[in-house]
Amino acid sequence: MKGMNRRGFVRASAAVAAAAMTRPAIAAPAQDAPDSGRVRRFKPLGKTGWRVGDVSAGSGQRDPAVLNYIFESGINLIDTGFQYAGHEELVGKVLPKWRDKVFVLDKWDPPLVTATVTKSALLEALDVSLQRLNTTYVDCMMLHSIGHPRYGGLERIQNPAIYEAWDEAKRLGKVRFTGASSHGVRMIEDMNWGLDNNRFDLILIGANFLTHGAEPLLKKARAKGVGTIAMKTMTTYKSDLNIQALQNEQTNARQACLKWILASDLFDTLVVSMPNYDRVAEYLAVSGTTSLTARDERYLRTVAAAVGPRYCRPGCGACHGACPHGVPVADILRYKMYFEDYGEEKFAMQRYGLVPASTRPSRCAGCAAPCEAACPYGLRVRERLSEADRQLRFA
Amino acid sequence: MRWLAAGLMLVTLTVDTGVARQTGQRSVARSIPYSVGRALPDRSGDWTRAAQIQMFNPGDLWEHINGAAEQYLTYGFQDLATAQYTDRTTRTVVVVEVYRMAGAVNAFGIYRQEVSPKARAVPLGVEGRASSNTIRFWTGEFYVKLTTPPGGGRMPELEALGAAIAKGLGAPGAMPVEAGWFPTAGQLPDSVKFIPADALGQAAFANAFEAKYENPGEPATALVVPFGSDKDAAAAFARYESFLAKARGKTKVASPGDGGFSATDSFQGFILAVRAGSRLVISLGAPEERAAAMVSDIVKRLGTVQAGQPRKEGSW
């Protein structure tokens, strides 16, 4: 931690506002640089005091020279994690040169963080990550993949050992800020718990032009001064929009997806996988965007047409209360998702078993389906509810 | 009727394979690609396998390993079978993951990407290593991981379980012949790697192999990038050369192979890059004379060690 001794660091960590004042030169020198291959817009990252570029780097690099180039281009936040095989080590090869100019966002291995994990196990894992990253501290240590049924329920993040470990790590100068990441089915519920209990300085959430349901969560984060970062900005998991209708226009479509986030005032930055120089240039080309063009919107419509019809947006709930028979539409579609997409068949069936028979989708036949009218995304809700009933009542 | 058919299907799957299927929105009824039941024994020593074996495909792998999934997909991931083994007395749990990759080279690639060369070698598959709570090995087109919680210990028993799984996965195969492209003198142990995409950050450099060499400071790197034709290789090479336009001391070289250029880059150090037919051979970070010798040696080896041919004993 060049330029600041341990005592100074602890003081800075203890008072976020003070940190903002004592670390004024943290934005990359590239700010407002005219070169199109550089970050062109910087924003405050919550109350951390860091001015973050609007485009930040996710993992995906396999060559340290690419990462070095990313930092040379003015990108000043790197998103990594224990689980990203070899990525912490790769960051560690470059980081010493950039340590004071780059915000390192790291994450514990998701299976490590359970309802029973101990403080010492978490601190041990932090030390392993610090060693891999070739640094004495990370700027933010996150809980990875909260709201994901595979790793447990809310009780997982209510484990007091996590917060004791964070406090201890901050006291030791190993962690400056804390937060959580999620793109799971209970993303909104678990993130809300963390915000309501003032556990997070930063949140990293799956968000894109199809996931409007997260707006209240993001506004709450904003109001509390919690930094907001978008990931999974292209709707699909892999950072390629392999959509036949787009043919050779994937670059334009990918850029349009990023621009949608950049034009939103709900995010401080976005992270996107940057495996090669071409992608770095492609993504930096949209840095500084504050609005979408008609052409961008056309690309987004094409992506939406390909991806949207099956995409029940986390946190939307527009269909809630629309059913005249009291069918809990969003809940049942979520159980269907647990069953189909998360491999949580038993859990899904158990949850479905708690739905009273009188409010199950067996009543959907012959219904005018006001749920479909209520869905702002035009999903075939009735058909999906009937499918869910067939799948889940095996219990 | 559909209910009955679906019910029968579910029962059949459970009885025949013990697999609880990940239906996934992208694959409603996938076939089991190999006998996971045979590869994952019911018991090994004190370990007993849970009835449920979960399967993941490229569309839903991220549900299992989240952010690591993209890397596996790049390495040619096909599917994953994962199960838990529990010791009934101690309740210790082992998580076994069997990743089926597109081929042996891909299994080798993801294994070498994940394993630490400092970990202890274990005689499993083509090669395997054990760290404090994890055993990794590759065999045929499979990459296998066995993990106990931190401090779980019991490595001999874990190795025995690994051996039983390796046996169930069939003949292990051999090291990729491409490893023989690289001279062994000064080569760092386990440093040969398969890079399926974006080698040196170049979008056109796919299916490359690299090896690291002893060098003062950072290790030097030797890289071979194959292409489908001389023309494709020449086009990618020209693009790489223009990418390095700002490098210092750029000099054309006439040989080896079809010639190329040398230059000094602020991050990579001295670079010597040549094209040899449909392949590019690049040295990074080695001093000039050593780079020239290494590239010449590799170009010669490319002519004698062809991909797909059995590797000569001792050349690895």
Side-chain angles (χ1 to χ4, degrees), chain B residues 88-121:
Chain B
R88 260 183 273 178
T89 315
T90 63
R91 307 308 301 167
T92 317
V93 170
V94 180
V95 176
V96 174
E97 296 162 286
V98 180
Y99 294 88
R100 189 171 67 91
M101 309 301 286
V105 163
N106 307 73
F108 161 81
I110 192 70
Y111 165 83
R112 281 283 175 103
Q113 182 61 27
E114 289 212 327
V115 79
S116 165
K118 291 176 190 163
R120 179 174 57 88

Side-chain angles (χ1 to χ4, degrees), chain B residues 226-316:
Chain B
F227 290 87
S229 67
D230 293 12
K231 192 179 160 196
D232 290 350
F237 193 62
R239 187 144 191 260
Y240 179 54
E241 190 172 357
S242 67
F243 172 78
L244 289 171
K246 289 179 185 170
R248 286 177 288 116
K250 198 122 155 269
T251 310
K252 289 278 181 195
V253 297
S255 64
D258 301 296
F261 67 91
S262 66
T264 301
D265 172 74
S266 59
F267 190 84
Q268 305 275 25
F270 182 75
I271 298 171
L272 174 60
V274 303
R275 181 173 69 84
S278 63
R279 293 166 179 141
L280 308 187
V281 181
I282 303 169
S283 164
L284 303 114
E288 196 168 338
E289 275 182 27
R290 196 156 155 239
M294 187 190 294
V295 168
S296 289
D297 195 352
I298 292 171
V299 169
K300 266 187 223 157
R301 285 164 177 267
L302 290 177
T304 55
V305 183
Q306 293 292 333
Q309 286 184 350
R311 182 170 49 83
K312 284 180 191 168
E313 282 303 313
S315 61
W316 164 246

Side-chain angles (χ1 to χ4, degrees), chain A residues 207-356:
Chain A
N208 55 63
F209 70 101
L210 293 177
T211 55
H212 300 177
E215 282 174 19
L217 173 80
L218 291 162
K219 285 178 180 165
K220 185 191 285 185
R222 273 268 183 273
K224 285 176 168 276
V226 171
T228 54
I229 308 172
M231 62 173 165
K232 309 290 175 264
T233 52
M234 297 179 198
T235 70
T236 55
Y237 180 68
K238 202 166 189 290
S239 302
D240 285 311
L241 285 173
N242 190 15
I243 295 169
Q244 207 173 0
L246 289 165
Q247 295 192 353
N248 296 322
E249 297 189 77
Q250 265 92 357
T251 294
N252 293 324
R254 283 193 294 262
Q255 288 181 329
C257 290
L258 296 193
K259 286 166 86 173
W260 188 89
I261 297 286
L262 296 176
S264 161
D265 61 359
L266 291 172
F267 296 98
D268 298 332
T269 188
L270 61 85
V271 293
V272 60
S273 177
M274 295 182 175
N276 58 49
Y277 295 104
D278 289 355
R279 286 293 173 88
V280 178
E282 177 183 316
Y283 300 150
L284 280 175
V286 299
S287 174
T289 295
T290 53
S291 61
L292 293 173
T293 64
R295 188 165 161 265
D296 295 327
E297 284 171 359
R298 275 203 306 278
Y299 283 116
L300 294 183
R301 278 198 296 274
T302 308
V303 177
V307 177
R310 295 188 58 89
Y311 195 35
C312 183
R313 284 71 170 168
C316 166
C319 55
H320 184 71
C323 177
H325 306 295
V327 174
V329 177
D331 287 347
I332 292 176
L333 292 183
R334 197 166 69 244
Y335 303 154
K336 180 176 169 61
M337 184 157 60
Y338 293 158
F339 185 95
E340 280 188 341
D341 301 339
Y342 285 74
E344 302 288 342
E345 293 94 342
K346 194 175 168 188
F347 175 74
M349 287 173 167
Q350 282 170 344
R351 296 307 297 256
Y352 189 68
L354 298 176
V355 177

Side-chain angles (χ1 to χ4, degrees), chain A residues 74-95:
Chain A
I75 289 173
N76 66 354
L77 183 146
I78 179 74
D79 169 32
T80 187
F82 184 94
Q83 198 184 44
Y84 305 159
H87 192 251
E88 284 182 328
E89 290 93 332
L90 186 127
V91 173
K93 288 182 181 171
V94 176
L95 191 59

Side-chain angles (χ1 to χ4, degrees), chain A residues 54-103:
Chain A
D54 58 356
V55 174
S56 295
S59 59
Q61 307 84 35
R62 277 173 280 277
D63 193 302
V66 177
L67 195 57
N68 190 63
Y69 177 80
I70 285 169
F71 296 153
E72 281 178 348
S73 303
I75 289 173
N76 66 354
L77 183 146
I78 179 74
D79 169 32
T80 187
F82 184 94
Q83 198 184 44
Y84 305 159
H87 192 251
E88 284 182 328
E89 290 93 332
L90 186 127
V91 173
K93 288 182 181 171
V94 176
L95 191 59
K97 182 179 161 190
W98 295 97
R99 190 62 199 89
D100 286 348
K101 296 182 177 67
V102 171
F103 191 100

Side-chain angles (χ1 to χ4, degrees), chain A residues 145 237 276 340 342-343 345, chain B residues 21-22 24 54 63 66 198:
Chain A
S145 275
Y237 180 68
N276 58 49
E340 280 188 341
Y342 285 74
E345 293 94 342
Chain B
R21 186 167 302 261
Q22 288 277 302
Q54 287 198 307
E63 291 297 346
N66 202 277
D198 304 310

